Amino acid sequence: MPRRDAILIFEVGAPLSLPLIPSDTKRSLHRVNAQASIHPDLPSDSTTLPLAIVGRDIVAEAIPSTQQANSEAVPDWKALLLAWGEQSQEYIIAISHMRIVLYVSRAARKPFSLQPGSILDENWEEEILRFWMIEMVDIGTTAAFRLIQFRPRTSFYAKSTELFPAIQTNSSLFQAQLKTAAVAALSQSNTLLLGETGSGKEVLARAIHAVSSRKNGPFIAVNMACLPRELIASELFGYTDGAFTGAKRGGHVGKFEAASTGTLFLDEIGEMPLDLQVMLLRVLEERSVMRLGSHDEKPLDVRIIAATNRKLDEEVRAGRFRADLYYRLNVLQICIPPLRDRKEDIAPLAQGFLKQLQDHYAAGPTELSGDAVGTLLQHTWPGNVRELRNAMERAFLLAFYEKVITAGHLPIEWRPSSTPPQNDAFTKEHSLLRDAERQTIQQAITEAQTLSAAAKKLGCARSTLYRKMRELGINHFN
Protein backbone atom coordinates (compact mmCIF):
# COMPACT_ATOMS: atom_id res chain seq x y z
CA MET A 1 0.00 0.00 0.00
CA PRO A 2 1.46 3.43 -0.88
CA ARG A 3 2.81 5.52 1.92
CA ARG A 4 0.86 8.57 3.04
CA ASP A 5 3.40 10.81 1.26
CA ALA A 6 3.54 8.78 -1.93
CA ILE A 7 3.42 10.82 -5.13
CA LEU A 8 0.83 9.62 -7.61
CA ILE A 9 1.64 9.72 -11.31
CA PHE A 10 -1.30 10.56 -13.55
CA GLU A 11 -1.20 10.00 -17.30
CA VAL A 12 -4.16 10.74 -19.53
CA GLY A 13 -4.48 9.08 -22.90
CA ALA A 14 -0.79 8.32 -23.07
CA PRO A 15 0.30 4.79 -24.03
CA LEU A 16 2.69 3.72 -21.28
CA SER A 17 4.99 0.76 -21.15
CA LEU A 18 7.02 -0.37 -18.18
CA PRO A 19 9.37 -3.29 -17.67
CA LEU A 20 8.02 -6.68 -16.77
CA ILE A 21 6.40 -6.94 -13.35
CA PRO A 22 7.65 -9.87 -11.25
CA SER A 23 5.45 -12.96 -11.12
CA ASP A 24 4.67 -12.60 -7.41
CA THR A 25 3.24 -9.14 -8.03
CA LYS A 26 1.22 -10.46 -10.96
CA ARG A 27 -0.31 -13.11 -8.76
CA SER A 28 -1.42 -10.48 -6.25
CA LEU A 29 -2.90 -8.38 -9.03
CA HIS A 30 -4.91 -11.27 -10.46
CA ARG A 31 -6.63 -11.70 -7.11
CA VAL A 32 -8.31 -8.32 -7.50
CA ASN A 33 -11.91 -8.34 -8.65
CA ALA A 34 -11.79 -6.03 -11.64
CA GLN A 35 -15.52 -6.11 -12.32
CA ALA A 36 -16.73 -4.10 -9.31
CA SER A 37 -14.39 -1.12 -9.41
CA ILE A 38 -14.12 0.20 -12.94
CA HIS A 39 -16.67 1.28 -15.49
CA PRO A 40 -17.01 -0.99 -18.55
CA ASP A 41 -16.68 2.00 -20.87
CA LEU A 42 -12.99 2.30 -20.02
CA PRO A 43 -10.88 0.58 -22.72
CA SER A 44 -9.64 -2.89 -21.92
CA ASP A 45 -6.47 -2.43 -23.96
CA SER A 46 -3.64 -3.02 -21.51
CA THR A 47 -1.27 -0.67 -23.27
CA THR A 48 -3.47 2.42 -23.17
CA LEU A 49 -5.65 3.62 -20.29
CA PRO A 50 -7.31 7.05 -20.35
CA LEU A 51 -6.62 7.38 -16.66
CA ALA A 52 -3.61 5.47 -15.35
CA ILE A 53 -2.77 5.79 -11.67
CA VAL A 54 0.49 4.38 -10.40
CA GLY A 55 1.64 4.57 -6.79
CA ARG A 56 5.35 5.37 -6.57
CA ASP A 57 5.92 2.88 -3.78
CA ILE A 58 4.23 0.08 -5.75
CA VAL A 59 6.24 0.88 -8.83
CA ALA A 60 9.49 0.98 -6.90
CA GLU A 61 8.89 -2.47 -5.48
CA ALA A 62 7.29 -4.07 -8.49
CA ILE A 63 9.47 -2.89 -11.38
CA PRO A 64 13.04 -4.16 -11.73
CA SER A 65 15.89 -2.28 -13.31
CA THR A 66 15.30 -1.16 -16.89
CA GLN A 67 18.49 -2.81 -18.00
CA GLN A 68 17.29 -6.21 -16.73
CA ALA A 69 13.74 -5.98 -18.09
CA ASN A 70 12.23 -7.32 -21.24
CA SER A 71 11.24 -4.17 -23.16
CA GLU A 72 8.63 -6.06 -25.18
CA ALA A 73 6.52 -7.00 -22.10
CA VAL A 74 3.58 -4.70 -21.27
CA PRO A 75 2.13 -4.57 -17.73
CA ASP A 76 -1.59 -4.95 -17.02
CA TRP A 77 -2.36 -1.33 -16.18
CA LYS A 78 -6.00 -1.98 -15.43
CA ALA A 79 -5.12 -4.65 -12.89
CA LEU A 80 -2.45 -2.41 -11.39
CA LEU A 81 -4.96 0.42 -10.99
CA LEU A 82 -7.48 -1.90 -9.34
CA ALA A 83 -4.84 -3.40 -7.04
CA TRP A 84 -3.90 0.04 -5.79
CA GLY A 85 -7.56 1.03 -5.34
CA GLU A 86 -8.28 -2.12 -3.32
CA GLN A 87 -5.43 -1.45 -0.88
CA SER A 88 -5.46 2.32 -0.53
CA GLN A 89 -7.44 3.97 2.25
CA GLU A 90 -7.90 7.13 0.19
CA TYR A 91 -11.31 8.18 -1.15
CA ILE A 92 -10.88 8.59 -4.91
CA ILE A 93 -13.34 8.57 -7.79
CA ALA A 94 -13.08 9.32 -11.50
CA ILE A 95 -16.05 10.84 -13.31
CA SER A 96 -16.78 11.95 -16.85
CA HIS A 97 -18.00 15.42 -17.79
CA MET A 98 -21.51 13.89 -17.93
CA ARG A 99 -21.14 13.11 -14.19
CA ILE A 100 -20.94 9.36 -14.86
CA VAL A 101 -18.80 7.55 -12.30
CA LEU A 102 -16.05 5.61 -14.08
CA TYR A 103 -13.93 4.43 -11.18
CA VAL A 104 -14.35 4.15 -7.38
CA SER A 105 -11.65 3.11 -4.95
CA ARG A 106 -12.60 0.53 -2.35
CA ALA A 107 -12.55 3.06 0.50
CA ALA A 108 -14.95 5.40 -1.35
CA ARG A 109 -17.64 2.86 -2.24
CA LYS A 110 -19.50 2.70 1.07
CA PRO A 111 -19.38 6.32 2.31
CA PHE A 112 -20.66 7.67 -1.01
CA SER A 113 -22.83 4.69 -2.10
CA LEU A 114 -21.20 4.81 -5.53
CA GLN A 115 -20.52 2.16 -8.12
CA PRO A 116 -19.14 2.50 -11.64
CA GLY A 117 -21.99 3.65 -13.85
CA SER A 118 -23.67 5.78 -11.15
CA ILE A 119 -24.79 9.24 -12.29
CA LEU A 120 -24.22 12.11 -9.88
CA ASP A 121 -26.76 14.87 -9.24
CA GLU A 122 -26.07 18.34 -10.55
CA ASN A 123 -25.52 19.74 -7.06
CA TRP A 124 -23.57 16.76 -5.74
CA GLU A 125 -20.52 18.86 -4.85
CA GLU A 126 -22.51 21.24 -2.62
CA GLU A 127 -24.00 18.33 -0.67
CA ILE A 128 -20.68 16.56 -0.15
CA LEU A 129 -18.85 19.75 0.88
CA ARG A 130 -20.80 19.76 4.16
CA PHE A 131 -18.75 16.80 5.37
CA TRP A 132 -15.82 16.42 2.97
CA MET A 133 -13.10 18.47 1.37
CA ILE A 134 -12.85 17.93 -2.39
CA GLU A 135 -9.51 18.01 -4.18
CA MET A 136 -9.52 18.01 -7.97
CA VAL A 137 -6.37 16.47 -9.44
CA ASP A 138 -5.01 18.43 -12.39
CA ILE A 139 -4.81 16.01 -15.30
CA GLY A 140 -4.87 18.56 -18.11
CA THR A 141 -7.53 20.68 -19.74
CA THR A 142 -8.03 18.28 -22.63
CA ALA A 143 -8.84 15.28 -20.49
CA ALA A 144 -12.32 13.81 -20.77
CA PHE A 145 -12.27 12.70 -17.14
CA ARG A 146 -11.99 14.29 -13.71
CA LEU A 147 -10.08 12.68 -10.89
CA ILE A 148 -11.39 13.61 -7.43
CA GLN A 149 -10.01 12.90 -3.98
CA PHE A 150 -12.15 13.38 -0.85
CA ARG A 151 -10.83 14.13 2.61
CA PRO A 152 -13.09 14.12 5.70
CA ARG A 153 -13.54 17.45 7.40
CA THR A 154 -11.96 17.12 10.84
CA SER A 155 -13.93 20.08 12.20
CA PHE A 156 -17.44 18.72 11.63
CA TYR A 157 -17.42 16.94 14.99
CA ALA A 158 -17.34 20.28 16.78
CA LYS A 159 -20.45 21.39 14.90
CA SER A 160 -22.31 18.09 14.84
CA THR A 161 -25.49 19.66 16.23
CA GLU A 162 -25.62 22.00 13.23
CA LEU A 163 -25.96 19.00 10.95
CA PHE A 164 -29.40 18.20 12.36
CA PRO A 165 -31.62 21.31 12.22
CA ALA A 166 -34.64 19.32 13.43
CA ILE A 167 -32.90 18.64 16.76
CA GLN A 168 -32.47 21.35 19.38
CA THR A 169 -30.30 20.69 22.40
CA ASN A 170 -28.13 22.55 24.88
CA SER A 171 -27.36 19.34 26.75
CA SER A 172 -23.75 18.19 26.75
CA LEU A 173 -25.01 14.61 27.16
CA PHE A 174 -27.07 14.80 23.99
CA GLN A 175 -24.42 16.74 22.06
CA ALA A 176 -21.94 13.94 22.74
CA GLN A 177 -24.39 11.43 21.28
CA LEU A 178 -24.99 13.65 18.25
CA LYS A 179 -21.30 13.36 17.41
CA THR A 180 -21.84 9.64 16.98
CA ALA A 181 -24.94 10.45 14.93
CA ALA A 182 -22.79 12.60 12.64
CA VAL A 183 -20.47 9.64 12.12
CA ALA A 184 -23.49 7.46 11.38
CA ALA A 185 -24.66 9.96 8.75
CA LEU A 186 -21.31 9.62 6.95
CA SER A 187 -21.28 5.83 7.04
CA GLN A 188 -23.43 2.98 5.81
CA SER A 189 -23.10 0.93 8.99
CA ASN A 190 -26.05 -0.40 10.99
CA THR A 191 -27.03 2.00 13.77
CA LEU A 192 -28.89 1.26 17.02
CA LEU A 193 -30.81 4.05 18.78
CA LEU A 194 -31.59 3.55 22.47
CA GLY A 195 -33.94 5.77 24.41
CA GLU A 196 -37.13 5.93 26.44
CA THR A 197 -40.56 6.25 24.85
CA GLY A 198 -41.08 9.72 23.40
CA SER A 199 -37.40 10.70 23.50
CA GLY A 200 -37.23 11.32 19.74
CA LYS A 201 -35.67 8.18 18.28
CA GLU A 202 -37.49 8.42 14.95
CA VAL A 203 -36.75 12.15 14.72
CA LEU A 204 -33.04 11.41 15.05
CA ALA A 205 -33.25 8.53 12.56
CA ARG A 206 -34.87 10.83 9.99
CA ALA A 207 -32.24 13.49 10.68
CA ILE A 208 -29.42 11.00 10.05
CA HIS A 209 -31.06 9.92 6.81
CA ALA A 210 -31.62 13.53 5.68
CA VAL A 211 -27.90 14.39 5.75
CA SER A 212 -26.56 11.04 4.56
CA SER A 213 -25.62 10.02 1.04
CA ARG A 214 -28.96 8.17 0.87
CA LYS A 215 -31.12 11.23 1.49
CA ASN A 216 -32.58 11.11 -2.03
CA GLY A 217 -33.76 7.55 -1.37
CA PRO A 218 -36.84 6.58 0.65
CA PHE A 219 -37.07 6.56 4.43
CA ILE A 220 -39.30 3.65 5.46
CA ALA A 221 -40.30 3.36 9.12
CA VAL A 222 -41.70 0.13 10.56
CA ASN A 223 -42.93 -0.15 14.15
CA MET A 224 -42.46 -3.78 15.14
CA ALA A 225 -44.78 -3.42 18.16
CA CYS A 226 -47.69 -2.41 15.90
CA LEU A 227 -47.47 -5.41 13.59
CA PRO A 228 -49.32 -8.64 14.43
CA ARG A 229 -46.92 -11.52 14.80
CA GLU A 230 -48.39 -13.30 11.75
CA LEU A 231 -47.77 -10.29 9.49
CA ILE A 232 -44.22 -9.30 10.46
CA ALA A 233 -42.47 -11.57 7.93
CA SER A 234 -44.76 -10.66 5.03
CA GLU A 235 -44.49 -6.94 5.79
CA LEU A 236 -40.70 -6.96 6.05
CA PHE A 237 -39.77 -9.42 3.33
CA GLY A 238 -42.81 -9.35 1.02
CA TYR A 239 -44.53 -12.32 -0.59
CA THR A 240 -45.40 -13.75 -3.98
CA ASP A 241 -48.80 -14.43 -5.50
CA GLY A 242 -50.42 -17.37 -3.69
CA ALA A 243 -47.75 -17.59 -0.99
CA PHE A 244 -50.44 -18.18 1.64
CA THR A 245 -54.19 -18.07 2.06
CA GLY A 246 -55.39 -14.49 1.64
CA ALA A 247 -52.22 -13.31 -0.10
CA LYS A 248 -52.82 -10.31 -2.34
CA ARG A 249 -53.00 -11.11 -6.01
CA GLY A 250 -49.72 -10.22 -7.69
CA GLY A 251 -47.75 -10.43 -4.45
CA HIS A 252 -46.52 -7.70 -2.17
CA VAL A 253 -43.27 -5.71 -1.95
CA GLY A 254 -41.70 -5.92 1.50
CA LYS A 255 -40.29 -2.99 3.43
CA PHE A 256 -36.71 -4.05 2.70
CA GLU A 257 -37.29 -3.80 -1.04
CA ALA A 258 -39.33 -0.61 -0.69
CA ALA A 259 -36.43 1.06 1.13
CA SER A 260 -33.92 0.28 -1.65
CA THR A 261 -31.21 2.98 -1.99
CA GLY A 262 -32.58 4.56 1.19
CA THR A 263 -32.97 3.86 4.90
CA LEU A 264 -35.13 1.29 6.70
CA PHE A 265 -36.00 2.29 10.27
CA LEU A 266 -36.95 -0.65 12.48
CA ASP A 267 -38.61 0.89 15.52
CA GLU A 268 -39.21 -1.11 18.72
CA ILE A 269 -36.91 -3.88 17.47
CA GLY A 270 -36.94 -5.37 20.97
CA GLU A 271 -40.55 -6.46 20.43
CA MET A 272 -39.67 -8.78 17.54
CA PRO A 273 -40.34 -12.48 18.31
CA LEU A 274 -37.28 -14.72 18.63
CA ASP A 275 -38.12 -16.99 15.69
CA LEU A 276 -38.47 -14.01 13.35
CA GLN A 277 -35.20 -12.54 14.58
CA VAL A 278 -33.44 -15.42 12.80
CA MET A 279 -34.96 -14.38 9.48
CA LEU A 280 -33.94 -10.76 10.02
CA LEU A 281 -30.39 -11.78 10.93
CA ARG A 282 -30.01 -13.75 7.71
CA VAL A 283 -31.17 -10.80 5.60
CA LEU A 284 -28.69 -8.49 7.33
CA GLU A 285 -25.82 -10.92 6.88
CA GLU A 286 -26.52 -11.89 3.28
CA ARG A 287 -27.61 -8.41 2.20
CA SER A 288 -30.36 -10.06 0.17
CA VAL A 289 -34.03 -10.84 0.70
CA MET A 290 -36.27 -13.68 -0.43
CA ARG A 291 -40.01 -13.07 -0.61
CA LEU A 292 -42.29 -15.55 1.10
CA GLY A 293 -43.24 -18.24 -1.41
CA SER A 294 -40.27 -17.46 -3.67
CA HIS A 295 -36.89 -19.13 -4.24
CA ASP A 296 -35.20 -16.10 -5.79
CA GLU A 297 -33.01 -13.87 -3.67
CA LYS A 298 -32.93 -10.17 -4.44
CA PRO A 299 -29.83 -8.14 -3.52
CA LEU A 300 -30.39 -5.29 -1.09
CA ASP A 301 -29.03 -1.76 -1.11
CA VAL A 302 -30.46 -0.41 2.11
CA ARG A 303 -29.16 1.14 5.30
CA ILE A 304 -30.60 -0.15 8.62
CA ILE A 305 -31.35 2.00 11.66
CA ALA A 306 -32.98 0.16 14.56
CA ALA A 307 -34.42 1.60 17.78
CA THR A 308 -35.80 0.33 21.06
CA ASN A 309 -36.78 1.57 24.51
CA ARG A 310 -35.55 -1.67 26.05
CA LYS A 311 -32.06 -2.42 27.36
CA LEU A 312 -31.11 -4.96 24.72
CA ASP A 313 -28.01 -6.16 26.54
CA GLU A 314 -30.25 -7.23 29.43
CA GLU A 315 -32.71 -8.78 26.98
CA VAL A 316 -29.85 -10.81 25.49
CA ARG A 317 -28.82 -12.10 28.93
CA ALA A 318 -32.44 -12.99 29.68
CA GLY A 319 -32.68 -14.95 26.42
CA ARG A 320 -35.38 -12.70 24.94
CA PHE A 321 -33.19 -11.27 22.18
CA ARG A 322 -30.63 -13.02 20.02
CA ALA A 323 -27.04 -12.05 20.79
CA ASP A 324 -25.90 -12.40 17.16
CA LEU A 325 -28.64 -10.04 15.95
CA TYR A 326 -27.79 -7.58 18.71
CA TYR A 327 -24.14 -7.48 17.67
CA ARG A 328 -25.13 -7.16 14.02
CA LEU A 329 -27.33 -4.13 14.74
CA ASN A 330 -25.11 -2.54 17.36
CA VAL A 331 -22.32 -1.29 15.10
CA LEU A 332 -22.95 2.35 16.01
CA GLN A 333 -24.92 2.93 19.21
CA ILE A 334 -26.59 6.23 20.09
CA CYS A 335 -28.21 6.65 23.51
CA ILE A 336 -30.71 9.51 23.62
CA PRO A 337 -30.86 10.88 27.18
CA PRO A 338 -34.33 11.29 28.74
CA LEU A 339 -35.77 14.79 29.03
CA ARG A 340 -35.50 14.78 32.84
CA ASP A 341 -31.70 14.63 32.38
CA ARG A 342 -31.82 17.53 29.90
CA LYS A 343 -33.38 20.28 31.99
CA GLU A 344 -31.60 22.91 29.90
CA ASP A 345 -33.59 21.77 26.84
CA ILE A 346 -37.08 22.03 28.37
CA ALA A 347 -37.64 25.79 28.03
CA PRO A 348 -36.22 26.05 24.45
CA LEU A 349 -38.26 23.05 23.33
CA ALA A 350 -41.41 24.50 24.90
CA GLN A 351 -40.81 27.80 23.12
CA GLY A 352 -40.23 25.95 19.85
CA PHE A 353 -43.50 24.03 20.19
CA LEU A 354 -45.30 27.27 21.07
CA LYS A 355 -43.95 28.89 17.88
CA GLN A 356 -45.06 25.90 15.78
CA LEU A 357 -48.57 26.05 17.24
CA GLN A 358 -48.85 29.78 16.68
CA ASP A 359 -47.72 29.38 13.06
CA HIS A 360 -50.28 26.63 12.59
CA TYR A 361 -53.24 28.54 14.08
CA ALA A 362 -52.06 32.04 13.12
CA ALA A 363 -53.19 33.19 16.57
CA GLY A 364 -52.90 32.29 20.23
CA PRO A 365 -50.45 33.06 23.07
CA THR A 366 -46.89 34.02 22.26
CA GLU A 367 -45.10 33.73 25.61
CA LEU A 368 -44.54 31.46 28.58
CA SER A 369 -44.71 33.01 32.03
CA GLY A 370 -42.00 32.42 34.60
CA ASP A 371 -44.24 30.27 36.79
CA ALA A 372 -45.16 28.13 33.76
CA VAL A 373 -41.48 27.53 32.97
CA GLY A 374 -40.85 26.70 36.63
CA THR A 375 -43.67 24.16 36.59
CA LEU A 376 -42.26 22.57 33.43
CA LEU A 377 -38.81 22.30 35.00
CA GLN A 378 -40.19 20.56 38.11
CA HIS A 379 -42.03 17.87 36.16
CA THR A 380 -40.28 14.49 35.73
CA TRP A 381 -41.43 13.93 32.10
CA PRO A 382 -42.00 10.17 31.93
CA GLY A 383 -43.25 10.70 28.36
CA ASN A 384 -40.22 12.82 27.43
CA VAL A 385 -40.40 15.19 24.44
CA ARG A 386 -43.69 13.75 23.21
CA GLU A 387 -45.32 14.54 26.57
CA LEU A 388 -43.92 18.08 26.46
CA ARG A 389 -45.31 18.58 22.97
CA ASN A 390 -48.78 17.43 24.04
CA ALA A 391 -48.68 19.54 27.23
CA MET A 392 -47.79 22.65 25.25
CA GLU A 393 -50.61 22.03 22.78
CA ARG A 394 -53.11 21.66 25.62
CA ALA A 395 -51.87 24.82 27.36
CA PHE A 396 -51.89 26.72 24.04
CA LEU A 397 -55.53 25.86 23.39
CA LEU A 398 -56.63 26.67 26.95
CA ALA A 399 -54.89 30.07 26.72
CA PHE A 400 -55.84 30.65 23.09
CA TYR A 401 -57.41 34.10 23.70
CA GLU A 402 -54.66 35.22 26.05
CA LYS A 403 -51.15 36.48 25.36
CA VAL A 404 -49.24 34.44 27.94
CA ILE A 405 -49.37 30.81 29.03
CA THR A 406 -49.26 30.56 32.82
CA ALA A 407 -48.97 27.68 35.26
CA GLY A 408 -52.76 27.69 35.51
CA HIS A 409 -52.97 26.40 31.95
CA LEU A 410 -50.85 23.35 32.81
CA PRO A 411 -52.18 20.18 34.49
CA ILE A 412 -53.06 20.87 38.12
CA GLU A 413 -51.12 17.81 39.33
CA TRP A 414 -47.88 19.35 38.00
CA ARG A 415 -48.14 22.37 40.26
CA PRO A 416 -46.08 22.46 43.48
CA SER A 417 -49.20 22.35 45.67
CA SER A 418 -51.11 19.65 43.87
CA THR A 419 -53.50 18.99 46.81
CA PRO A 420 -56.14 21.73 47.07
CA PRO A 421 -56.30 23.30 50.58
CA GLN A 422 -59.23 22.30 52.80
CA ASN A 423 -61.89 24.91 53.49
CA ASP A 424 -62.34 25.06 57.28
CA ALA A 425 -65.79 26.65 57.07
CA PHE A 426 -66.98 23.96 54.65
CA THR A 427 -65.64 21.19 56.88
CA LYS A 428 -67.34 22.64 59.95
CA GLU A 429 -70.66 23.01 58.15
CA HIS A 430 -70.47 19.46 56.82
CA SER A 431 -69.90 18.14 60.37
CA LEU A 432 -72.92 20.05 61.73
CA LEU A 433 -75.17 18.59 59.01
CA ARG A 434 -74.10 15.06 59.88
CA ASP A 435 -74.77 15.66 63.58
CA ALA A 436 -78.25 17.00 62.82
CA GLU A 437 -78.99 14.02 60.57
CA ARG A 438 -77.86 11.61 63.26
CA GLN A 439 -80.05 13.23 65.92
CA THR A 440 -83.12 13.18 63.64
CA ILE A 441 -82.75 9.45 62.89
CA GLN A 442 -82.15 8.58 66.55
CA GLN A 443 -85.27 10.51 67.58
CA ALA A 444 -87.43 8.75 64.97
CA ILE A 445 -86.21 5.32 66.09
CA THR A 446 -86.91 6.16 69.76
CA GLU A 447 -90.44 7.35 69.07
CA ALA A 448 -91.38 4.49 66.67
CA GLN A 449 -92.06 0.95 67.74
CA THR A 450 -90.18 -0.62 64.79
CA LEU A 451 -87.59 0.37 62.19
CA SER A 452 -90.26 0.15 59.49
CA ALA A 453 -92.33 2.70 61.41
CA ALA A 454 -89.22 4.89 61.87
CA ALA A 455 -88.52 4.79 58.15
CA LYS A 456 -92.12 5.72 57.39
CA LYS A 457 -91.88 8.58 59.85
CA LEU A 458 -88.70 9.83 58.15
CA GLY A 459 -90.23 9.43 54.68
CA CYS A 460 -87.65 7.01 53.32
CA ALA A 461 -87.37 3.32 52.52
CA ARG A 462 -86.30 0.86 55.21
CA SER A 463 -83.14 0.00 53.21
CA THR A 464 -82.20 3.69 53.08
CA LEU A 465 -82.62 3.94 56.83
CA TYR A 466 -80.35 0.93 57.35
CA ARG A 467 -77.66 2.52 55.10
CA LYS A 468 -77.83 5.84 56.93
CA MET A 469 -77.56 4.09 60.30
CA ARG A 470 -74.40 2.31 59.15
CA GLU A 471 -72.87 5.54 57.79
CA LEU A 472 -73.61 7.49 60.96
CA GLY A 473 -72.72 4.68 63.35
CA ILE A 474 -76.24 4.37 64.86
CA ASN A 475 -77.06 1.11 66.68
CA HIS A 476 -80.83 0.62 66.88
CA PHE A 477 -80.42 -1.61 69.94
CA ASN A 478 -79.38 1.51 71.80
Side-chain angles (χ1 to χ4, degrees), residues 365-377:
T366 59
E367 299 177 17
L368 277 170
S369 66
D371 61 340
V373 173
T375 301
L376 294 177
L377 292 175

Side-chain angles (χ1 to χ4, degrees), residues 144-172:
F145 308 95
R146 299 166 64 192
L147 189 66
I148 303 170
Q149 182 172 10
F150 301 101
R151 298 185 187 278
R153 291 186 180 273
T154 56
S155 61
F156 82 90
Y157 291 102
K159 300 180 179 180
S160 58
T161 55
E162 298 178 4
L163 301 179
F164 310 114
I167 299 175
Q168 302 177 25
T169 181
N170 297 313
S171 167
S172 58

Side-chain angles (χ1 to χ4, degrees), residues 32 38 43 84 94 98 110 137 163 186 230 262 435 445 455 464-465:
V32 178
I38 197 163
W84 172 82
M98 300 298 293
K110 272 196 171 184
V137 180
L163 301 179
L186 292 176
E230 298 78 12
D435 289 344
I445 294 174
T464 303
L465 177 59

Side-chain angles (χ1 to χ4, degrees), residues 91 110-112 130-132 152-161 163-164 175-193 204 207-209 211-213 303-305 331-334:
Y91 305 94
K110 272 196 171 184
F112 302 105
R130 299 179 64 186
F131 311 110
W132 302 82
R153 291 186 180 273
T154 56
S155 61
F156 82 90
Y157 291 102
K159 300 180 179 180
S160 58
T161 55
L163 301 179
F164 310 114
Q175 288 173 356
Q177 296 300 317
L178 288 181
K179 291 182 179 180
T180 306
V183 176
L186 292 176
S187 74
Q188 302 295 320
S189 300
N190 296 335
T191 303
L192 181 62
L193 307 183
L204 181 56
I208 292 173
H209 170 78
V211 297
S212 71
S213 60
R303 194 264 179 85
I304 305 297
I305 300 179
V331 178
L332 291 172
Q333 184 181 113
I334 302 172

Side-chain angles (χ1 to χ4, degrees), residues 408-426:
H409 299 115
L410 298 172
I412 189 172
E413 61 269 18
W414 291 6
R415 302 174 199 173
S417 300
S418 58
T419 304
Q422 297 292 332
N423 190 315
D424 294 339
F426 173 80

Side-chain angles (χ1 to χ4, degrees), residues 390-467:
N390 294 339
M392 287 305 302
E393 184 173 4
R394 174 183 182 275
F396 178 86
L397 295 175
L398 292 176
F400 191 78
Y401 296 105
E402 303 176 30
K403 292 184 178 181
V404 180
I405 293 177
T406 66
H409 299 115
L410 298 172
I412 189 172
E413 61 269 18
W414 291 6
R415 302 174 199 173
S417 300
S418 58
T419 304
Q422 297 292 332
N423 190 315
D424 294 339
F426 173 80
T427 303
K428 183 177 181 180
E429 182 180 357
H430 182 68
S431 177
L432 291 174
L433 289 174
R434 289 178 65 85
D435 289 344
E437 189 176 22
R438 182 183 295 106
Q439 291 176 5
T440 302
I441 293 175
Q442 287 177 338
Q443 183 179 354
I445 294 174
T446 302
E447 295 176 354
Q449 298 296 324
T450 63
L451 289 178
S452 297
K456 186 175 182 181
K457 184 178 181 65
L458 293 169
C460 64
R462 183 174 177 175
S463 59
T464 303
L465 177 59
Y466 273 115
R467 177 172 59 81

